Amino acid sequence: MTALATDKETDTMKDIPTPSARRRRGALLVLVAAAMLALAGCEGGDLVSYELPARQARYTFETTTGDVKTVWEYTSAEATKDDTPKGSPCIGELVGSSQDACRPEPLIFLRYDFGLALDNTARAGAKHDVTIVGYFQERLGRSPEVTSLKAEATFDGGRTWHRATTRATGRNTFTATVENPRRAAQGVGLRVSAVDNQGNTVRQTIPQAYTLR
């Protein structure tokens, strides 16, 4: 996900600048991405871009994928130069004619290793470790570091939550120990909150992460 931060509205009579070398290299990727979106059945209205104010501010971005809800809070300001991997077009090139500088936003993403058995279950009435890795979009500069992570588990569909013991086990990597009950008819759900060293946060809720055997 690459977010676009622009400094001003584009004048419709403004001369179109000559594409930079990086943008020319990204032209083929734009065509490929457009073809893939067409094959997937995406219409033009399925893609949304945002223009953010030039001044630095705190933003909240919320999304729901299936039954997983994720809420990010992060600080952003206008991009003064492109800060995306070489060969990767800015989102403005995919959805319009914007030539403004862009960069990935500092969103913390979470990757899980639930350590389940072959039938995707965990043992009831026992402690169970879940490995959680925080990561960021590919950037030209140095990514922030996830400094803390909190995990909670629910055994009743989200009505009550129980704190899981967490410990750092590597860079941006944490292990959460869930004390599974003997029974959980609705499975085990997780709610994970993480913070990086720049004050950006994420909170992700998975109503059913795994079931018990």
Side-chain angles (χ1 to χ4, degrees), residues 1 21 33 37 39-40 42 44 54 57 64 68-69 80 93 116 130 143 145 155-156 170 177 183-184 188 190 212:
M1 181 186 300
L37 290 172
L39 290 173
C42 293
T64 301
V68 177
K69 180 179 180 180
T80 56
E93 295 177 328
L116 303 177
V130 177
S143 296
E145 182 176 352
F155 314 116
D156 56 11
T177 301
R183 292 190 61 186
V188 177
L190 287 179
L212 303 177

Side-chain angles (χ1 to χ4, degrees), residues 75-191:
T75 300
S76 183
E78 69 171 331
T80 56
K81 63 179 181 179
D82 286 334
D83 185 10
T84 57
K86 291 181 179 180
S88 296
C90 291
I91 191 66
E93 295 177 328
L94 291 174
V95 300
S97 59
S98 174
Q99 296 293 311
D100 292 307
C102 71
R103 64 165 179 270
E105 296 289 16
L107 305 181
I108 306 171
F109 294 91
L110 300 174
R111 181 184 298 118
Y112 302 84
D113 181 353
F114 291 109
L116 303 177
L118 293 178
D119 60 355
N120 290 324
T121 64
R123 183 179 300 173
K127 293 183 178 180
H128 184 71
D129 287 344
V130 177
T131 301
I132 307 170
V133 178
Y135 66 99
F136 300 83
Q137 300 174 80
E138 187 178 358
R139 304 175 66 87
L140 293 179
R142 181 176 175 82
S143 296
E145 182 176 352
V146 178
T147 54
S148 66
L149 183 141
K150 180 180 76 173
E152 301 167 281
T154 181
F155 314 116
D156 56 11
R159 290 192 296 275
T160 58
W161 292 89
H162 308 270
R163 184 74 175 265
T165 302
T166 59
R167 63 186 186 278
T169 52
R171 177 178 170 81
N172 297 336
T173 303
F174 300 80
T175 296
T177 301
V178 179
E179 296 190 12
N180 291 333
R182 294 189 179 279
R183 292 190 61 186
Q186 300 182 58
V188 177
L190 287 179
R191 184 167 64 190

Side-chain angles (χ1 to χ4, degrees), residues 6-33:
T6 60
D7 55 353
K8 56 184 177 297
E9 293 183 357
T10 302
D11 186 346
T12 56
M13 298 301 292
K14 183 178 179 180
D15 292 336
I16 299 176
T18 302
S20 65
R22 192 192 71 84
R23 294 186 187 279
R24 289 195 297 271
R25 287 194 298 270
L28 179 58
L29 289 180
V30 174
L31 294 175
V32 172

